[in-house]
Every structure is written in structure tokens, then in C-alpha cells.
Amino acid sequence: MNGPHLEVTRLLQNPLGQPAPEGERGDIVRVSDGTRTLYLTPQEFDEASEQQLRYRLAAEGQSRWSA
């Protein structure tokens, strides 16, 4: 897929925002393209294609500009 590399980090809710241990699903998944960030549940992340993630990141950027 074209575009910037997506950085995916699995996070814990307790302690809040700490990276999940290696190999753990975590409670929240942070996806960033370097300029915009999404927070998803592990299930939402697993069900999304890279193209869908990029679309959602682009939409997030547009909603910020229109606010």
C-alpha cells in the first residue's frame, strides 16, 4: 500500500496508556501515520484492512480541519 508507514501500538487500560507486553493483544490499539492517530479496540483493528485504516486516518484529518 502506498503512503506513510502505519505505526501500530497495542496499549493497556491499566496502567492507562502503557504499551502492552510483547505478544499481548492489549485493550486499545493506537494506529498512526505520523500526522493523525486513531484509537481502536483490538477487534476493530483486526477487522480493518490497511486501506480502511488509511481511509479512517484521512477522515480524522478532515474532521479536525472542519471543526
Side-chain angles (χ1 to χ4, degrees):
M1 187 100 225
N2 294 334
H5 173 74
L6 294 181
E7 182 179 328
V8 177
T9 307
R10 293 180 180 272
L11 304 171
L12 300 173
Q13 286 185 326
N14 190 12
L16 185 60
Q18 293 295 314
E22 186 80 26
E24 296 291 322
R25 283 178 53 87
D27 302 308
I28 304 165
V29 180
R30 180 176 62 208
V31 180
S32 176
D33 65 1
T35 59
R36 296 163 296 232
T37 303
L38 291 175
Y39 291 90
L40 307 169
T41 66
Q43 183 176 350
E44 289 173 321
F45 176 75
D46 291 343
E47 293 173 354
S49 68
E50 182 177 346
Q51 183 178 7
Q52 290 169 323
L53 293 172
R54 289 184 183 281
Y55 176 81
R56 289 182 67 175
L57 283 164
E60 177 70 19
Q62 289 177 352
S63 67
R64 285 186 184 176
W65 287 106
S66 63

